[in-house]
Amino acid sequence: MLIARAAVTFAAVLLSATLVQAADTKPAIVFDTGGKFDKSFNEGVANGAERFKKETGIAPIEFEVTNDTQFEQAHRRFAQRGSDLIIGVGFDQGVPVEAVTKEFPAVHFTIIDAVVKQPNVQSVLFKEQEGSFLVGKYANPNIEVIQNMTGTTPAAWNDPARGGELAKGQFDRGVDVIYAAAGGTGIGVYQMGKDAGKLAIGVDSNQNYLQPGTMLTSMVKRVDLAAYNSLMAEKAGTWQPGISVLGLKEGGVDWAVDQYNENLITQEMKTKVEQAKRDIIDGKIKVQDYMEANTCSS
């Protein structure tokens, strides 16, 4: 009987220690417009948070905004409620995050896809141009590129109907493949590609599975890794402010080949893309940053 009681007491101590360890950090995530399960940018971050949860037992508190006016309020509320790390997803959160960080200098903030120069902010950027180079390639110097914007407001990231409409117009003009860099709006593009028997390229997350047979590939942007690393660093006490830029060399971007698109990708294509990847990493190919180029020219 004494042994049984001792065992119970010991188990209770272990449980108490586990709970204390699991409570040593209280992270939060503010998702971009488009929803947590947008099958793209937000969902990539959610996957990183889920990995963190499985490994640590800590579930980050989450908030999905319905409009961009809620960003600042969400960050402030999490800071007021004791979150020690708040992750903001998307460049639209730059201004709101900067405003709140000044009010809560002891709270750590990580923002993905934007730069906020404050002593308690970690800014994570990606060399999307390197991943986009791989999926767009440079096999045909005479190619004609047609571009359409889905909109100028945050709602433009979550409008599959608009994506399908624009994709149909482009396919009707003779386009062979569409690269849809528009978050959840891309879902409509991929469906139209399937309906038209044409090809599409996914973005941010591996979206090859959405329309097997017509998804040529996806430009993978490891926002899941950015979120996971930030969460783990906060838990370990090693989180650092500053700016980090993740490209091919750092494993921040890549292209996706799997069972859903393997019949569309020949060995010759793989060889050429992997060679281009090595050349970019080695500095033999320098891919222009569109944003940097436009900033310099303005």
Side-chain angles (χ1 to χ4, degrees):
M1 188 67 180
L2 287 175
I3 293 176
R5 287 181 63 185
V8 171
T9 302
F10 182 63
V13 171
L14 282 179
L15 178 59
S16 176
T18 302
L19 290 175
V20 169
Q21 184 180 18
D24 60 1
T25 183
K26 189 179 178 182
I29 300 174
V30 181
F31 288 103
D32 202 356
T33 52
K36 174 181 176 180
F37 299 110
D38 63 353
K39 297 181 172 61
S40 185
F41 190 76
N42 282 327
E43 194 158 329
V45 172
N47 291 338
E50 183 61 25
R51 178 185 171 191
F52 173 76
K53 176 184 174 182
K54 286 181 179 178
E55 294 182 13
T56 66
I58 302 170
I61 308 166
E62 300 173 347
F63 185 75
E64 298 179 63
V65 302
T66 55
N67 62 75
D68 59 344
T69 63
Q70 296 177 315
F71 287 137
E72 185 172 329
Q73 179 185 11
H75 281 277
R76 182 174 290 107
R77 184 172 298 169
F78 281 142
Q80 290 171 337
R81 294 180 177 178
S83 290
D84 48 4
L85 170 66
I86 305 172
I87 298 178
V89 184
F91 58 82
D92 283 331
Q93 300 197 37
V95 173
V97 166
E98 183 161 17
V100 178
T101 57
K102 296 175 182 178
E103 300 174 24
F104 300 91
V107 177
H108 293 161
F109 295 81
T110 293
I111 184 162
I112 299 176
D113 257 9
V115 172
V116 175
K117 295 181 179 179
Q118 293 295 329
N120 56 333
V121 180
Q122 180 184 88
S123 302
V124 184
L125 304 176
F126 294 85
K127 296 180 181 178
E128 296 98 339
Q129 69 273 17
E130 293 183 352
S132 296
F133 184 93
L134 296 184
V135 301
K137 297 180 283 296
Y138 55 158
N140 183 359
N142 299 315
I143 194 170
E144 179 185 357
V145 179
I146 297 173
Q147 301 180 60
N148 288 109
M149 295 289 290
T150 58
T152 58
T153 67
W157 300 100
N158 189 32
D159 192 347
R162 178 62 173 158
E165 176 187 332
L166 292 174
K168 184 179 186 307
Q170 291 188 348
F171 286 137
D172 287 347
R173 293 172 64 182
V175 166
D176 302 300
V177 56
I178 297 178
Y179 180 27
T185 298
I187 303 301
V189 175
Y190 311 144
Q191 181 63 57
M192 187 54 63
K194 187 75 170 182
D195 294 345
K198 298 289 185 72
L199 298 173
I201 297 173
V203 72
D204 294 337
S205 297
N206 182 355
Q207 299 180 315
N208 293 350
Y209 71 97
L210 292 176
Q211 298 294 346
T214 55
M215 293 296 292
L216 182 59
T217 184
S218 295
M219 193 284 280
V220 180
K221 185 172 169 180
R222 295 300 305 277
V223 291
D224 61 324
L225 190 63
Y228 172 80
N229 286 345
S230 183
L231 290 163
M232 290 298 288
E234 181 66 30
K235 184 179 185 303
T238 58
W239 183 95
Q240 293 289 330
I243 302 171
S244 62
V245 184
L246 308 179
L248 287 172
K249 184 178 181 179
E250 298 78 17
V253 295
D254 210 334
W255 72 308
V257 179
D258 54 25
Q259 69 270 31
Y260 300 108
N261 71 333
E262 60 185 359
N263 292 332
L264 299 173
I265 307 294
T266 65
Q267 185 57 50
E268 181 184 9
M269 292 166 68
K270 287 182 184 178
T271 301
K272 288 185 176 181
V273 173
E274 288 302 318
Q275 182 60 56
K277 183 177 176 178
R278 288 191 294 271
D279 288 344
I280 292 172
I281 292 173
D282 294 340
K284 295 178 182 178
I285 295 178
K286 297 188 182 297
V287 185
Q288 181 66 60
D289 182 343
Y290 172 83
M291 296 299 292
E292 184 179 88
N294 279 269
T295 299
C296 293
S297 63
S298 60

